Amino acid sequence: MPHIFDADVVTPVLRHMNGDHADDNRLIARAFADTGDGAVTDAVMIGFDGDGGVWEVTRDAAVSELRVAWPGGRISDRPAVRREVVAIYDAACARLGIEPRPHA
């Protein structure tokens, strides 16, 4: 059973990802979603748990859900969420052949 984070952890992470990292959400969707369903036109992070992150991916008018496992394995604390989202971003860049931006 994956760790379930409280709303006081999930809500600010989702707000940050969707407000400040919308391009990263689309990049992650492009890298990890099935490629046969058309080009990704939008992606929004809609949740996460101890096993991975979840995005709502839009292609044309079709919406689907994408779950990406945390690269480092299961997590159970707030600092690990940031670390693993950054790891997913870096993995997405590697898959797409894009140079990742430096992380603060």
Side-chain angles (χ1 to χ4, degrees):
M1 185 77 155
H3 178 78
I4 303 302
F5 289 90
D6 292 333
D8 64 331
V9 172
V10 174
T11 300
V13 169
L14 296 181
R15 183 174 38 248
H16 175 70
M17 285 300 295
N18 296 322
D20 297 338
H21 296 286
D23 290 341
D24 296 346
N25 288 333
R26 287 187 291 278
L27 182 100
I28 290 165
R30 285 181 35 228
F32 292 101
D34 292 332
T35 57
D37 296 331
V40 171
T41 56
D42 197 19
V44 178
M45 190 173 198
I46 59 171
F48 60 88
D49 59 26
D51 286 348
V54 182
W55 284 262
E56 182 179 87
V57 178
T58 304
R59 293 182 186 94
D60 300 320
V63 177
S64 62
E65 191 171 285
L66 169 68
R67 173 175 271 281
V68 181
W70 300 129
R74 284 189 161 178
I75 63 172
S76 61
D77 62 12
R78 169 63 185 96
V81 175
R82 182 186 189 283
R83 180 189 70 229
E84 293 303 315
V85 169
V86 168
I88 287 176
Y89 165 80
D90 287 342
C93 288
R95 280 184 176 212
L96 297 172
I98 295 170
E99 183 71 29
R101 70 178 175 286
H103 307 295

